[in-house]
Amino acid sequence: MTEQTIRDIFVVGLRNAHALENEALSIMNRQLDRLESYPELAQRLRLHVDETEGQIDRLDTILEGLSEDASTLKDTAASVMGNMATLGHTVAGDEILKNTFADYAFENYEIAAYRSLLAIAEQGAFTEAMPLLQQSLEQEEDMARWLEGQLKPFTMRYVERETAGLQAKR
């Protein structure tokens, strides 16, 4: 494999991750608009929105260092997809559960993307990018662990609220 081929693969991966983070922002912001009965989730999502904005900044820094930029088309498409996915859950009676499952899956998707980017960065000797990617990976792993720890408590709160006749879905 040539150095140029590895660089091209890395740039595509960075652009994909940038779009993925824009999709994540759309999802989290849409969910925050609707959260009512799960304040700890709202608080954690607000923190992760800030982290995600930092992840986008780090991806921009890496791209700029390669004299590249993000793909506006990918970013826009991903944001629309994120909004549509979240809107699809709003009609569900168990919206909070569907969103929590989807958020947990999405965090693991982002983890896989950052691990892949780190492997490419190592192969291509993009050493300046590695600490930035590692920081984003660690934030995604933290969020995934937090969500995993909330699956049972959120499920039980949903069941309790639903059986008590209270608004439980969000």
Side-chain angles (χ1 to χ4, degrees):
M1 230 186 258
T2 68
E3 287 181 27
Q4 184 61 45
T5 302
I6 294 171
R7 183 188 183 285
D8 292 346
I9 292 168
F10 190 52
V11 169
V12 168
L14 292 167
R15 287 177 176 153
N16 289 341
H18 197 279
L20 189 62
E21 295 301 355
N22 275 289
E23 183 176 0
L25 282 178
S26 293
I27 289 168
M28 290 184 289
N29 286 324
R30 180 70 62 194
Q31 287 177 4
L32 281 167
D33 289 344
R34 296 184 49 78
L35 276 174
E36 296 170 8
S37 303
Y38 302 84
E40 66 275 35
L41 178 57
Q43 179 181 0
R44 188 62 177 94
L45 284 177
R46 281 188 203 92
L47 171 64
H48 200 54
V49 163
D50 291 342
E51 290 174 339
T52 300
E53 289 169 347
Q55 292 164 6
I56 290 170
D57 289 343
R58 285 190 288 279
L59 290 165
D60 284 336
T61 298
I62 297 167
L63 285 163
E64 288 168 11
L66 297 168
S67 299
E68 299 285 348
D69 55 10
S71 169
T72 304
L73 179 62
K74 283 184 183 183
D75 285 353
T76 302
S79 291
V80 169
M81 289 183 343
N83 278 318
M84 297 307 293
T86 307
L87 286 172
H89 291 170
T90 62
V91 297
D94 59 349
E95 176 182 1
I96 186 65
L97 297 181
K98 284 186 173 46
N99 283 343
T100 303
F101 303 159
D103 290 348
Y104 180 65
F106 199 86
E107 290 303 321
N108 281 282
Y109 188 82
E110 289 174 302
I111 289 167
Y114 281 112
R115 287 181 180 163
S116 177
L117 283 169
L118 280 162
I120 298 166
E122 184 177 0
Q123 177 71 27
F126 300 109
T127 55
E128 292 176 10
M130 293 180 73
L132 300 174
L133 296 170
Q134 185 64 41
Q135 183 179 0
S136 294
L137 171 62
E138 289 169 6
Q139 290 173 333
E140 299 300 358
E141 289 171 334
D142 287 345
M143 185 63 176
R145 273 191 298 275
W146 186 85
L147 285 165
E148 183 176 22
Q150 298 307 309
L151 291 172
K152 183 175 180 179
F154 286 171
T155 298
M156 298 315 300
R157 185 175 321 156
Y158 169 78
V159 170
E160 290 167 9
R161 292 183 66 80
E162 189 70 23
T163 57
L166 300 171
Q167 193 280 86
K169 72 181 226 167
R170 57 179 186 195

